[in-house]
Amino acid sequence: MATSSSHFSFLSKPEETEAEALFHLFSAMVAYSLTLSSSFTQPNPSIHGSKPFNNLSSLNFSFPLKLNYQVQVLQRYQTLRIAATSVSISNPPLGIDPRPDDLVSSILSKVTQTDRGVSLTKEQHQEVAQVADELQRYCVDEPVNCPLIFGEWDVVYCSNPTSPGGGYRSAFGRLFFKTKEMIQTVEAPDTIRNRVSFSVFGFLDGEVSLKGKLKALDKQWIQVIFEPPELKVGALDFQYGGESEVKLKITYIDDKVRLGKGSRGSLFVFQRRR
């Protein structure tokens, strides 16, 4: 059917775009609704004689076929929109920064059941370091003065196995001493207690503990001076050695984890004990 100025054409063209099809569908629905409205308001419809809708009777023949095609186009268009929305949710656009909670979950998943980092490869240590660098961007302005620092923390990772625990955590020491727990307790106002519990040859329990005083050097760095360590193995309990000193930079802290870097660059991950 040819298109004229006196009536609408509802036959589709092969090259018709979806946008044009939607426009034609909208036009058809308007015209069809006007036709229904006329049939209810006028006992003897005279719409065929009206100027704007001359020869609208042709709608009875071409409208159902055209409407079916337009509905299919509309359904296909809506399907594409839904699919695009699903992709955008499951695969966020590049360039969007991850949330701190996601980074915390990521770093914990990388260090869990690794003997505090001992079993990780060089590449895996680098992955942990990358996540730690990302978390550092979200650290509070003055982590040393943050009240979240207080409490009991598990040492769940260290990039240098011998940094926490000293010789007990060296390659040779791990042959005889199996680490069970490594806990750091920070008590207000300035007390730190470190404790490493282990078993000797798998049957004799023991632990090494240190008590120290915390001093804030600036907004991020702390200094701890420890008393001589105390060793307990079975019935034995004695102190040995002398005082020791460590410096640690707090690079991130929240209610779940605390990250720190030693003065020699060792990365620590502490997880709060529940």
Side-chain angles (χ1 to χ4, degrees):
M1 181 181 297
T3 303
S4 67
S5 60
S6 60
H7 66 279
F8 297 97
S9 173
F10 298 101
L11 294 180
S12 62
K13 300 178 182 179
E15 68 274 16
E16 187 178 50
T17 65
E18 290 189 359
E20 292 171 338
L22 292 173
F23 173 77
H24 292 157
L25 174 60
F26 176 76
S27 302
M29 294 177 67
V30 171
Y32 187 62
S33 63
L34 289 175
T35 303
L36 292 178
S37 176
S38 303
S39 65
F40 282 105
T41 57
Q42 298 181 14
N44 297 312
S46 59
I47 192 170
H48 299 293
S50 62
K51 293 182 179 179
F53 300 99
N54 190 27
N55 294 330
L56 197 61
S57 59
S58 61
L59 176 67
N60 296 332
F61 300 99
S62 60
F63 177 75
L65 295 177
K66 179 63 178 180
L67 180 59
N68 289 337
Y69 169 76
Q70 302 285 16
V71 168
Q72 292 176 3
V73 172
L74 181 60
Q75 290 175 341
R76 186 167 68 252
Y77 173 72
Q78 291 175 335
T79 301
L80 291 174
R81 289 186 61 189
I82 293 173
T85 303
S86 300
V87 170
S88 64
I89 293 175
S90 59
N91 299 303
L94 296 176
I96 296 180
D97 292 336
R99 299 182 304 170
D101 287 347
D102 296 331
L103 293 172
V104 168
S105 298
S106 175
I107 200 168
L108 289 178
S109 68
K110 294 179 184 300
V111 302
T112 300
Q113 296 182 347
T114 65
D115 193 11
R116 297 160 183 84
V118 171
S119 62
L120 294 182
T121 64
K122 181 179 179 180
E123 290 74 18
Q124 290 171 327
H125 279 293
Q126 291 175 347
E127 292 177 1
V128 174
Q130 289 175 356
V131 179
D133 288 342
E134 286 290 318
L135 271 171
Q136 186 172 345
R137 298 168 50 201
Y138 299 97
C139 187
V140 297
D141 292 335
E142 299 184 16
V144 169
N145 297 322
C146 181
L148 291 174
I149 194 175
F150 299 111
E152 284 191 333
W153 301 87
D154 280 317
V155 183
V156 294
Y157 172 83
C158 182
S159 58
N160 181 2
T162 61
S163 288
Y168 298 96
R169 293 287 293 167
S170 66
F172 181 77
R174 292 196 303 272
L175 295 176
F176 305 97
F177 304 95
K178 182 179 179 181
T179 303
K180 298 169 63 176
E181 288 184 325
M182 298 184 68
I183 301 172
Q184 182 178 90
T185 304
V186 185
E187 303 172 348
D190 59 359
T191 299
I192 288 185
R193 301 177 188 273
N194 289 349
R195 181 170 62 87
V196 179
S197 62
F198 54 83
S199 61
V200 184
F201 300 112
F203 65 90
L204 185 61
D205 291 335
E207 69 174 39
V208 177
S209 60
L210 298 99
K211 179 181 178 182
K213 288 292 183 180
L214 181 152
K215 178 183 178 181
L217 300 178
D218 58 22
K219 296 179 180 180
Q220 290 185 309
W221 282 92
I222 61 173
Q223 178 189 49
V224 183
I225 299 178
F226 288 104
E227 299 174 0
E230 182 179 0
L231 174 63
K232 295 181 180 180
V233 179
L236 298 177
D237 185 355
F238 58 92
Q239 282 188 317
Y240 65 97
E243 292 185 346
S244 58
E245 175 186 330
V246 297
K247 292 181 180 179
L248 185 71
K249 178 183 179 182
I250 302 175
T251 59
Y252 179 81
I253 186 170
D254 63 17
D255 61 339
K256 294 181 180 179
V257 301
R258 173 164 58 91
L259 306 185
K261 279 190 176 182
S263 57
R264 297 183 180 180
S266 297
L267 172 64
F268 293 84
V269 178
F270 302 86
Q271 183 176 15
R272 188 180 298 277
R273 293 173 65 87
R274 299 300 181 184

